[in-house]
Amino acid sequence: MKQKPFLTLDDVKRIAAAAEAEALKNNWAVTIAIVDDGGHLLWLQRLDNAAATSAVIAPAKARTSALGRRESKVYEDIVNNGRNAFLSVPLEGMLEGGVPVLVEGFCVGAVGVSGVKSNEDAQVAKAGIAALG
């Protein structure tokens, strides 16, 4: 039987702390969501002054990224490039800001961020993931 890595609670805390540090460094009020490879929520952190809706959008971005094993921006680009039929796919959070956590070729989860410009959301997510080394 094959084995694969998975996110531990320590990994999740490290990702969350690094993502929070990136957001605070830039004075960005965001929500940070971390999910496992099945899109199940492991961490949700809404920074002070983050919009209430960001607590719904961030987990959706993370879930989309984990299930698709790619950045959520890929789906946003598909729709924006005219493939409107893709909107029928049963995914929420098809906006930039969801980034998969890839370890040894496996998607072990994802980070979703919401609250600022989409590229800035992605920047915070990537900073969090970078903390894993």
Side-chain angles (χ1 to χ4, degrees), residues 44-64:
L44 183 68
Q45 181 175 358
R46 184 173 157 207
L47 301 183
D48 292 342
N49 297 316
T53 189
S54 67
V56 175
I57 296 169
K61 289 179 178 183
R63 190 174 313 106
T64 293

Side-chain angles (χ1 to χ4, degrees), residues 22-44:
E22 181 70 15
L24 294 176
K25 176 180 84 174
N26 291 289
N27 294 310
W28 293 337
V30 298
T31 295
I32 301 159
I34 303 171
V35 300
D36 66 13
D37 60 338
H40 305 285
L41 191 62
L42 300 173
W43 187 274
L44 183 68

Side-chain angles (χ1 to χ4, degrees), residues 106-117:
F106 293 96
C107 178
V108 297
V111 180
V113 178
S114 179
V116 287
K117 294 178 185 174

Side-chain angles (χ1 to χ4, degrees), residues 73-95:
K73 183 180 186 332
V74 169
Y75 302 109
E76 180 180 9
D77 290 344
I78 288 170
V79 173
N80 287 342
N81 287 326
R83 184 117 192 264
N84 295 330
F86 202 80
L87 291 171
S88 66
V89 172
L91 291 173
E92 298 173 348
M94 292 190 290
L95 302 165

